[in-house]
Amino acid sequence: MENPVIILGAQSLGTTALDAFTSNDVVVYCLLDDDAKLQNSELNNVAVMGNTDDKELLKLLGKKCEVFVATEDTASRRSLTNMLRDEYEVVPVNAIHARASVAEHAWLGHGNLVSAGAVVASNAKLGNGCLIGANAVVEVGAELADYVQIGAGAIINPNVKVEEQAFIGSGAIIVAGVKIGAKARIGAGSVVVADVPANQTVFGNPAAKV
């Protein structure tokens, strides 16, 4: 990546994204965050400047800077991504840690975070704005819709389909061929052996409705 990156969000997700970019020797120009307590400080030697809608800094996007959206709340990440597209005609870049493994024939949309040690296998598909935690595995043919979050160490087996904004907790295992509905939540360490409907929360081994 030739241009430096501006990261929107300077909390835990912003820290992970910063680590991913610096692992690839990508320059992070600054971070922006709406929390006034974080502004005018530094995160790992990178300045945290203004709000996430700072027009003076965002006007650098496109020719001079790239952008990555790392706010904690999914709705916020989605609205910021839409704003960037509509007002600045840019889409967030992917943040892929140097120690992650993304297969040549995997398909990724925009604004995804693939953390250290994570694996995205051949013919797996990630939509936009997905978060893949450290050491998580997305196996062959698995499909993740937009804004899916996969916790650290979770395993998404072959041909699993995860719908938009679903959350898979750390260490969970989704067995091959299962479908996880939109906005469903899978508890940490759960083993999911059957489809999970939209908006449902499941937990346990085998996972059951909470």
Side-chain angles (χ1 to χ4, degrees), residues 120-172:
V120 180
S122 185
N123 293 0
K125 182 177 181 180
L126 274 59
N128 302 313
C130 294
L131 306 177
I132 311 300
N135 301 310
V137 177
V138 181
E139 288 278 16
V140 171
E143 295 184 11
L144 277 54
D146 295 347
Y147 299 101
V148 166
Q149 185 169 345
I150 308 296
I155 299 175
I156 312 301
N157 275 292
N159 303 313
V160 166
K161 286 186 169 53
V162 185
E163 298 295 337
E164 189 168 322
Q165 297 185 57
F167 173 86
I168 314 293
S170 298

Side-chain angles (χ1 to χ4, degrees), residues 166-200:
F167 173 86
I168 314 293
S170 298
I173 298 173
I174 316 298
V175 303
V178 162
K179 181 177 179 181
I180 307 297
K183 297 184 179 179
R185 297 182 65 83
I186 312 302
S190 297
V191 178
V192 181
V193 298
D195 292 355
V196 178
N199 300 303
Q200 192 167 103

Side-chain angles (χ1 to χ4, degrees), residues 16 28 33 43 45-46 52 56-58 77 89 110 113 126 135 141 144-145 158 178 181 200 210:
T16 304
V28 175
D33 199 282
L43 178 61
N45 300 317
V46 178
T52 55
E56 285 301 306
L57 288 166
L58 294 181
R77 286 192 293 116
E89 299 182 345
H110 301 289
L113 173 63
L126 274 59
N135 301 310
L144 277 54
V178 162
Q200 192 167 103
V210 175

Side-chain angles (χ1 to χ4, degrees), residues 16-206:
T16 304
L18 175 60
D19 182 51
F21 286 120
T22 55
S23 76
N24 289 290
D25 297 321
V26 173
V27 174
V28 175
Y29 182 77
C30 69
L31 299 100
L32 302 177
D33 199 282
D34 295 334
D35 186 345
K37 295 177 183 176
L38 296 175
Q39 294 168 11
N40 301 313
S41 66
E42 287 190 350
L43 178 61
N44 297 347
N45 300 317
V46 178
V48 181
M49 295 186 177
N51 294 321
T52 55
D53 61 354
D54 187 314
K55 298 193 184 310
E56 285 301 306
L57 288 166
L58 294 181
K59 71 182 183 182
L60 299 173
L61 300 180
K63 294 181 179 179
K64 294 183 178 180
C65 286
E66 307 293 346
V67 66
F68 184 83
V69 181
T71 52
E72 305 297 313
D73 178 64
T74 300
S76 171
R77 286 192 293 116
R78 197 170 187 173
S79 67
L80 282 170
T81 300
N82 290 339
M83 178 272 290
L84 292 168
R85 183 190 63 225
D86 296 342
E87 295 186 24
Y88 297 94
E89 299 182 345
V90 297
V91 294
V93 294
N94 290 316
I96 301 172
H97 198 283
R99 295 199 305 275
S101 174
V102 177
E104 179 182 356
H105 293 289
W107 188 94
L108 276 67
H110 301 289
N112 296 295
L113 173 63
V114 185
S115 302
V119 175
V120 180
S122 185
N123 293 0
K125 182 177 181 180
L126 274 59
N128 302 313
C130 294
L131 306 177
I132 311 300
N135 301 310
V137 177
V138 181
E139 288 278 16
V140 171
E143 295 184 11
L144 277 54
D146 295 347
Y147 299 101
V148 166
Q149 185 169 345
I150 308 296
I155 299 175
I156 312 301
N157 275 292
N159 303 313
V160 166
K161 286 186 169 53
V162 185
E163 298 295 337
E164 189 168 322
Q165 297 185 57
F167 173 86
I168 314 293
S170 298
I173 298 173
I174 316 298
V175 303
V178 162
K179 181 177 179 181
I180 307 297
K183 297 184 179 179
R185 297 182 65 83
I186 312 302
S190 297
V191 178
V192 181
V193 298
D195 292 355
V196 178
N199 300 303
Q200 192 167 103
T201 299
V202 300
F203 180 76
N205 179 9

